[in-house]
Amino acid sequence: MDELKLYERYYGDRDTWTDYEVPPELDYKPTELSINYLRKMVDTIAAWQFEREPKVSAPPEIVDDPVTTQLHGTEPSAEQQAANDRAKSKEKLLSTIWKENRMHEKLLAAAKDRAITRTGVFARLHYDTRRGAIRILFHPSTEVIPVHNEWDVDQLEEVHFIAYLDEEETKLWKLSYYLVWKGDEESGYYDCEIEEAIYNEELNVIDTRVTRQSMGLDFIPVVHIPTDKLTGALQGTSELEKMIGVSDEINKKLSDYSDALRFEMFAIMLLKNVDEDPKNPLRVSPGAKWNLGDGDKEIGEPHAERIESGFKFKEAIETYLDRMYKALHELSEVPIVNTSELKTGGINEVAMQLMFSSIISKTQRSWVIWQSRLQTLNEYILRYMQARQEHPRFKYDRELLTEVGDDYTNEIIFNLPLPKDRMALVTQLSNEIASNMESIKGAIKRSGKENAEAKLMEILAEREMMRERKVKNEDPYLEQAEQTERPGRQEVKT
């Protein structure tokens, strides 16, 4: 229920004033401003993590000595070539799955879920038997009941996904995975079992979609992406929750400020010695004329005047609100940057990173978790594909899957959403290539270009074409010799 309330906070269904009751001694309705700073901060944190699309990479295992190969110009050995082919196959298969499942879009949304909740978000793999495709489905923690191993909190022993199928909440869907050890300790093995059913309000089964059965997997096809947490903890901290107090205080003070302006903005009209006729009250409108009456000697002469407000706490309230805004940004680690106040003509990449150092650090810390969990997800994808490759509708290349074997190593390449100095980056990559500190393919990947393998082949083909053209230009007899050697061509004498 607590995490459901956090989602209500994000969507604005629950705010500062949800549980507020107006004191009975007030004879006016207080202003209740509610600006959703929490959603803005959560969206910004997620954007820093996945605004730039992450890339899947599968670097090959290094078998041959790179120095020896480079110095002697030898061809890769059979083992090295097999490792290269295996890496290409993994990268191609994983890239295909990511593209089919719109992973960039899903990761951006999942990062928001992870920032909202204390538990994190769950990624589930599903094999669509009708299409023969692997599906990647993300679930918020409000839909998942995980059961962790009592000795190892990173190992899931059971996972239950639940959701209501109707608005009246009379039909409950539940999908369960169980990791069961079968056999003895020496010859036994893990087996994942699946069960799916629909329940009524009394939690009685009304429809069994999948009876409990083996999936033919030795792992649960679910990956938990947790929040920042302490060792051994099942829950961490919610980015949204830790900002609620400051956000509520800002909304309260803005509401008080609004009420103060409302009361102090208009002057109070003071009437002295005036006996107002209730049947003919004084008009309150621009340009109105009032007849205050004659009065008498005992009461005094009728008189009307305005009492203007001083409103002397403007600077104090604005200073306090500025401090609250600063505290909100410090808690979220999202810096306050106003480029209009910078007295410079331009900002280089180093200065940009210093300005955003806090959110960059926060983003890179979150990538530590995302990196390991997405690597595990990719491993599960390949192992799930191998378990389903005999299915008649299996749509992926079985030859590539055979080349993968049991090597599931992969990497995720993240990118910060900062504008880069393109010239400085190209110069840096060129210097690293010239100093043998970086390969051409690696430099192409770091430059952000798509399909580094194809781009490298294009570069090598152009180099070979330029070399052949240069040789022909330097040797004028080469072209003549090639023409005389062509079959079916005779010399014409005149």
Side-chain angles (χ1 to χ4, degrees), residues 178-193:
Y178 306 90
L179 190 62
V180 182
W181 180 262
K182 295 186 177 180
D184 54 28
E185 289 296 327
E186 295 182 358
S187 60
Y189 61 94
Y190 276 114
D191 184 39
C192 179
E193 297 179 350

Side-chain angles (χ1 to χ4, degrees), residues 89-98 100-101 125-127 132-136 215-217 219 221 377-391 394-402 404-405 408:
S89 299
K90 282 191 295 183
E91 190 168 319
K92 186 173 183 180
L93 288 170
L94 291 174
S95 298
T96 300
I97 297 293
W98 276 47
E100 286 181 353
N101 284 273
L125 296 179
H126 170 69
Y127 180 71
I134 297 289
R135 305 298 302 162
I136 304 175
M215 295 184 67
L217 304 174
F219 62 93
L377 181 66
N378 286 337
E379 176 186 342
Y380 286 178
I381 289 173
L382 294 172
R383 293 168 65 182
Y384 207 160
M385 293 173 72
Q386 290 174 339
R388 296 293 183 266
Q389 61 182 328
E390 300 302 327
H391 189 270
F394 188 78
K395 63 180 290 187
Y396 305 104
D397 193 327
R398 292 181 174 86
E399 293 183 2
L400 294 179
L401 198 57
T402 302
V404 172
Y408 308 113

Side-chain angles (χ1 to χ4, degrees), residues 6-7 10 38 41-46 49 108-121 225-227 237-243 362 370:
L6 292 177
Y7 274 97
Y10 176 79
L38 303 176
M41 291 301 180
V42 167
D43 290 350
T44 302
I45 292 171
Q49 295 176 16
L108 186 59
K112 297 178 184 179
D113 286 287
R114 181 175 174 269
I116 292 171
T117 67
R118 301 171 186 167
T119 308
V121 66
I225 301 99
T227 57
T237 56
S238 164
E239 296 291 340
L240 182 144
E241 187 176 17
K242 67 184 183 182
M243 296 184 288
K362 182 184 187 67
W370 281 105

Side-chain angles (χ1 to χ4, degrees), residues 57-97:
S57 176
E61 179 187 0
I62 304 300
V63 179
D64 297 347
D65 184 3
V67 177
T68 304
T69 304
Q70 182 71 21
L71 289 177
H72 299 285
T74 58
E75 295 293 329
S77 64
E79 293 82 1
Q80 184 63 65
Q81 188 60 46
N84 295 342
D85 294 341
R86 185 162 53 248
K88 292 178 183 177
S89 299
K90 282 191 295 183
E91 190 168 319
K92 186 173 183 180
L93 288 170
L94 291 174
S95 298
T96 300
I97 297 293

Side-chain angles (χ1 to χ4, degrees), residues 204-269:
N204 296 320
V205 178
I206 58 176
D207 181 18
T208 300
R209 292 186 175 181
V210 179
T211 57
R212 184 163 174 171
Q213 58 186 272
S214 172
M215 295 184 67
L217 304 174
D218 60 354
F219 62 93
I220 293 180
V222 176
V223 176
H224 178 206
I225 301 99
T227 57
D228 295 336
K229 61 179 183 178
L230 299 178
T231 303
L234 297 179
Q235 287 188 335
T237 56
S238 164
E239 296 291 340
L240 182 144
E241 187 176 17
K242 67 184 183 182
M243 296 184 288
I244 289 178
V246 178
S247 176
D248 285 352
E249 180 65 12
I250 292 175
N251 281 327
K252 289 177 181 178
K253 288 300 178 284
L254 284 175
S255 299
D256 293 342
Y257 199 3
S258 176
D259 284 337
L261 288 175
R262 181 172 58 173
F263 286 116
E264 302 291 341
M265 186 181 298
F266 303 102
I268 299 175
M269 181 61 66

